Amino acid sequence: MELINRLLTANKSWAARQLEIDETYFDNLAKDQKPDFLWIGCSDSRVPAEDLTGSQPGEMFVHRNVANLVVHTDMNMLSVLQYAVEVLKVRHILVVGHYQCGGVKASMMHKDLGLINRWLHNIKDVYDKFATELDAIEDEKKRFDRLVELNVIQQVHNLAQTSIVQGAWHQGQELHLHGWVFGLHDGQLKTLAHMPPTTKVEGIYRYDF
């Protein structure tokens, strides 16, 4: 219980500090949320969305899962996406991966890991799609880093393929999709992809409205 009590004690100290800075802080926080950003990131405990971006409570809507995936059968992610886009009217969706991602690393192995095999299969699909490029990278760490990057880029494209995002674009909503990667070694976020509202989705993934 010592670990749990530490969290509760820290919470009381945090709440007190907020009130010292602004006595109306929690009154304002309780009114509503109007975030401009939806963060789709990894569940890794070393990648806290608000801390990395200097965001305050209420400024960022957050969804996290193993290896920051956008899976078209994931009702949890789709529900978050729909609410963020159609109700909160966020202006930017950020898919944020990170180097040394355990999920991406596990997907590169051939070991049977049980239930999570089904989840990691989505990253294996990314590897398979870019196998020519990845297999040409002899250095294992560089290949690992590149798969982290390609996975982020693919998830941004997966977002663009949803009817939720395409519907928002069709209605003139100023919705931008971004792909970023975080370096645990230097604390920096790097841009990998950007799809503006003028993006045209081609081929079988295009929805007509």
Side-chain angles (χ1 to χ4, degrees), residues 12-30:
K12 291 179 181 178
S13 298
W14 172 80
R17 286 196 304 272
Q18 302 309 313
L19 290 175
E20 289 177 2
I21 297 171
D22 180 4
E23 62 182 16
T24 65
Y25 180 86
F26 292 107
D27 292 332
N28 293 329
L29 191 64

Side-chain angles (χ1 to χ4, degrees), residues 142-153:
K142 290 181 179 178
R143 189 186 318 121
F144 178 19
D145 288 347
R146 184 54 179 158
L147 181 55
V148 166
E149 295 174 349
L150 290 171
N151 182 54
V152 169
I153 294 169

Side-chain angles (χ1 to χ4, degrees), residues 71-157:
V71 180
H72 295 288
T73 55
D74 181 1
M75 295 304 295
N76 188 346
M77 184 281 301
L78 291 172
S79 297
V80 170
L81 178 64
Q82 182 179 26
Y83 186 76
V85 172
E86 297 181 4
V87 179
L88 297 177
K89 303 292 184 182
V90 298
R91 298 166 56 192
H92 301 273
I93 302 178
L94 318 169
V95 177
V96 186
H98 66 96
Y99 296 116
Q100 302 175 43
C101 177
V104 173
K105 182 67 173 179
S107 75
M108 299 176 73
M109 303 187 304
H110 298 281
K111 185 177 180 181
D112 180 5
L113 299 174
L115 179 65
I116 200 171
N117 287 339
R118 299 180 64 181
W119 187 256
L120 298 179
H121 191 94
N122 296 286
I123 313 174
K124 289 179 180 290
D125 286 341
V126 177
Y127 193 112
D128 184 64
K129 181 177 181 178
F130 297 99
T132 301
E133 175 185 347
L134 290 166
D135 290 342
I137 303 174
E138 295 184 3
D139 184 88
E140 184 177 351
K141 182 182 182 303
K142 290 181 179 178
R143 189 186 318 121
F144 178 19
D145 288 347
R146 184 54 179 158
L147 181 55
V148 166
E149 295 174 349
L150 290 171
N151 182 54
V152 169
I153 294 169
Q154 183 61 54
Q155 305 317 311
V156 174
H157 283 276

